[in-house]
Amino acid sequence: MEMFRLVLSDKFIWLLGGAVLLATLLPVSGAAVGIANMAVAVAVFWIFLLHGIRLERHEVVAGFRNWKLQGTIFGFVFGAMLAIGYGLSVLLDNHVMPMIAIGFLYLGCLPSTVQSAASYTAIARGNVGASVVAAATVNLSSIVLSPVLFALFASSVGIIITAGSFIKIITMLFIPFVIGQVIQRWARPWVLRNKDLTGWADRLAISLAVYVAFSGAVVAGVWHSVPSDQFMLVGVAIVAMLVLAFGGAWLLGGMLGFPRDDRKTLLFGGAQKSVAVGAPLAAILFPAETAGFLMIPLLFYHLSSLTLSAPLAIILARD
């Protein structure tokens, strides 16, 4: 019962599910697309402005003191997970729609979650401080590293990320983050006092990006042009990725001789993937109809990993 309570109480799961459902029933189309894209641009700016305000610089600096754990999490997120995503995209090529297959590569390039990783590490009685620092480090790095990695590997399958796209990334992700860091001294106390308000605003902004992207996929015929057997293949690939990610992170922690608390941190900080970065970045790199197909593996994996993390955290908390 506690497992179901944890899953059902995660409001972000409901928001993301609601965004997909709303896009299916009432997708953005016609003249409203331009307005929706402008709203997404504002939402993306807001998301990364908040990231800049929330992330204290000393957290990242402190993280390097436990260099072995932090380096392992960083390497697992951008190395092992990238390899898994790339491998699955190659295996699925010619079996599912090209942009869905590429979506697994895109998924592998993304950072881990921030709030969820720390929350489930806390429930599992792991090293919460290290989890927060690791999430901060990989998410800060992802502003540049995720699009660069994706551009490098996607070019091998014919997806070219233009210089214009990188300029948009700098404008919509890096600049608001820097502004957030500059005004942090004055803005952070207000953000901390209004955690509920800013938390909801953050989640709604991410959900808006998901809604507009998936609307494009719905208008392009995702539920009609993608056969059911392809969705089944995606489901099987998601399960395989979950097993490799969570199993691999746990085994790697043991092989490296980490204390059990640090292994829990590696598990949740390494195996989860962030839709908070993935949805805005997809909206910048691709038009909505393309971004919607690209995000299918991300949405499936994100929701599945959160659902899996609940029972794992409860089990691990018992030892």
Side-chain angles (χ1 to χ4, degrees):
M1 288 300 293
E2 187 179 357
M3 175 190 72
F4 291 108
R5 181 185 61 79
L6 276 174
V7 173
L8 295 176
S9 65
D10 192 329
K11 299 178 180 64
F12 196 33
I13 291 179
W14 290 99
L15 277 175
L16 291 178
V20 172
L21 179 61
L22 183 61
T24 300
L25 300 176
L26 191 65
V28 177
S29 60
V33 172
I35 299 172
N37 287 335
M38 289 180 62
V40 169
V42 173
V44 170
F45 193 95
W46 165 254
I47 291 166
F48 284 87
L49 179 67
L50 269 183
H51 284 342
I53 293 171
R54 286 172 175 156
L55 177 58
E56 290 194 278
R57 288 178 288 278
H58 71 79
E59 290 182 344
V60 178
V61 174
F64 290 103
R65 294 173 184 168
N66 189 352
W67 62 268
K68 185 177 180 181
L69 174 60
Q70 298 298 330
T72 302
I73 294 174
F74 192 93
F76 193 85
V77 169
F78 292 117
M81 292 296 288
L82 172 58
I84 294 169
Y86 181 73
L88 287 172
S89 71
V90 172
L91 288 174
L92 291 172
D93 192 30
N94 297 323
H95 297 290
V96 300
M97 289 187 66
M99 286 309 296
I100 295 179
I102 292 298
F104 280 93
L105 168 61
Y106 180 72
L107 173 60
C109 294
L110 295 174
S112 55
T113 59
V114 178
Q115 183 175 344
S116 297
S119 297
Y120 284 114
T121 299
I123 293 168
R125 298 178 182 176
N127 189 338
V128 180
S131 177
V132 172
V133 171
T137 305
V138 298
N139 275 267
L140 175 59
S141 303
S142 73
I143 296 175
V144 174
L145 196 55
S146 289
V148 168
L149 288 173
F150 182 67
L152 288 173
F153 283 86
S155 63
S156 66
V157 291
I159 302 295
I160 305 300
I161 307 301
T162 64
S165 295
F166 279 103
I167 292 173
K168 288 176 68 177
I169 290 166
I170 292 171
T171 303
M172 297 180 68
L173 303 189
F174 188 69
I175 289 178
F177 180 85
V178 171
I179 293 173
Q181 287 280 286
V182 170
I183 66 173
Q184 183 183 87
R185 178 181 176 183
W186 304 277
R188 196 168 189 273
W190 183 87
V191 169
L192 293 178
R193 285 197 306 270
N194 297 274
K195 280 185 177 180
D196 289 343
L197 176 63
T198 55
W200 273 106
D202 194 24
R203 294 186 188 100
L204 287 171
I206 297 164
S207 300
L208 175 63
V210 171
Y211 167 65
V212 174
F214 206 76
S215 288
V218 170
V219 171
V222 63
W223 298 123
H224 306 291
S225 60
V226 182
S228 58
D229 61 335
Q230 290 194 19
F231 277 115
M232 290 180 64
L233 279 175
V234 170
V236 171
I238 291 296
V239 171
M241 192 168 189
L242 288 169
V243 171
L244 291 171
F246 281 84
W250 185 253
L251 290 174
L252 179 61
M255 289 170 58
L256 294 176
F258 286 150
R260 202 161 178 83
D261 287 356
D262 286 353
R263 289 182 72 182
K264 296 172 184 178
T265 301
L266 173 59
L267 177 69
F268 296 110
Q272 293 186 1
K273 286 292 182 177
S274 175
V275 75
V277 173
L281 185 58
I284 293 172
L285 293 175
F286 299 100
E289 61 273 14
T290 303
F293 285 97
L294 184 81
M295 283 172 52
I296 287 175
L298 169 59
L299 290 173
F300 279 25
Y301 184 87
H302 182 80
L303 295 173
S304 300
S305 65
L306 293 183
T307 303
L308 176 62
S309 293
L312 282 177
I314 293 169
I315 293 169
L316 291 172
R318 294 171 183 163
D319 57 24

